[in-house]
């Protein structure tokens, strides 16, 4: 093998939102879990809310700031946001399992050497919860705590079980809170 590339995708940072009692929902448009409802008065804006373009993040942040100012009884002033041209975007393609041309391993978590076959063994043994399959295979337990493999492992498990998207894995597992990610991560690893 000359080159190996792996991407965990863009995953909004939702750990503070989750610590405030927030629940996440799966956003099919970006293929990630984003903030949904919260038991506390919390506003999430920008990248943490799944808005991945600069103009949208700035506008959401300005609107959230204005609401906070008005909630305190003051009049919010229109901020001078920079004129940011929108970068051309390609709609994301959600691919969790790629059929291999040979019988080589298809890695899901490079730090723990977890493959699609490992997750298939876990689901074949009767495990239906992504949390149980992670414990069975050790996926997401390395020092990155699932930042590069969490959504990917959920998607693979959902596909192996014939479910529509990773949100089904969360709902059926009964787990309501997220496993916190410490920062937004777009990881690409090259080996060669």
């Amino acid at each position: 093998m000359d080159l190996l590339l792996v991407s965990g995708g863009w995953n909004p940072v939702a750990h503070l939102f989750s610590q405030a009692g927030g629940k996440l929902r799966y956003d099919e448009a970006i293929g990630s879990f984003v903030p949904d409802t919260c038991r506390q008065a919390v506003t999430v804006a920008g990248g943490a809310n799944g808005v991945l373009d600069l103009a949208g993040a700035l506008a959401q942040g300005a609107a959230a700031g204005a609401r906070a100012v008005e909630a305190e009884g003051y009049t919010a002033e229109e901020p001078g946001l920079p004129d940011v041209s929108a970068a051309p975007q390609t709609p994301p393609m959600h691919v969790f399992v790629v059929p291999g041309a040979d019988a080589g391993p298809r890695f899901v978590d490079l730090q723990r050497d977890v493959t699609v076959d490992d997750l298939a063994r876990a689901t074949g043994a009767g495990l239906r919860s992504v949390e149980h399959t992670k414990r069975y295979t050790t996926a997401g337990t390395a020092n990155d705590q699932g930042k590069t493999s969490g959504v990917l492992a959920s998607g693979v498990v959902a596909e192996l079980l014939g479910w529509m998207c990773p949100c089904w894995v969360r709902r059926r597992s009964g787990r309501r809170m997220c496993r916190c990610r410490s920062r937004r991560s777009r990881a690409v690893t090259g080996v060669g």
Side-chain angles (χ1 to χ4, degrees), residues 21-94:
K23 295 180 182 175
L24 303 175
R25 66 177 170 76
Y26 184 74
D27 185 337
E28 184 70 32
I30 64 171
S32 292
F33 290 98
V34 296
D36 190 15
T37 59
C38 190
R39 64 177 180 229
Q40 296 187 41
V42 175
T43 301
V44 183
N49 199 32
V51 177
L52 303 177
D53 67 288
L54 180 58
L58 289 172
Q60 245 191 24
R67 284 192 303 275
V69 166
E70 290 167 357
E72 292 299 317
Y74 298 98
T75 302
E77 295 179 15
E78 185 74 28
L81 296 177
D83 185 22
V84 180
S85 59
Q89 293 192 4
T90 303
M93 184 176 177
H94 311 299

Side-chain angles (χ1 to χ4, degrees), residues 55-149:
L58 289 172
Q60 245 191 24
R67 284 192 303 275
V69 166
E70 290 167 357
E72 292 299 317
Y74 298 98
T75 302
E77 295 179 15
E78 185 74 28
L81 296 177
D83 185 22
V84 180
S85 59
Q89 293 192 4
T90 303
M93 184 176 177
H94 311 299
V95 179
F96 297 110
V97 179
V98 178
D102 58 12
R106 295 171 293 163
F107 287 100
V108 176
D109 186 338
L110 279 178
Q111 293 196 21
R112 291 290 188 201
D113 292 336
V114 177
T115 65
V116 171
D117 292 338
D118 296 328
L119 292 172
R121 257 189 304 284
T123 57
L127 301 176
R128 296 292 180 260
S129 160
V130 74
E131 290 299 318
H132 293 155
T133 58
K134 284 171 53 180
R135 284 176 178 80
Y136 186 88
T137 62
T138 70
T141 62
N143 63 348
D144 74 336
Q145 287 296 292
K147 282 192 291 291
T148 59
S149 65

Side-chain angles (χ1 to χ4, degrees), residues 152-168:
L152 180 57
S154 296
V156 171
V157 169
E159 194 166 315
L160 290 169
L161 295 174
W163 296 340
M164 294 171 58
C165 69
C167 60
W168 284 97

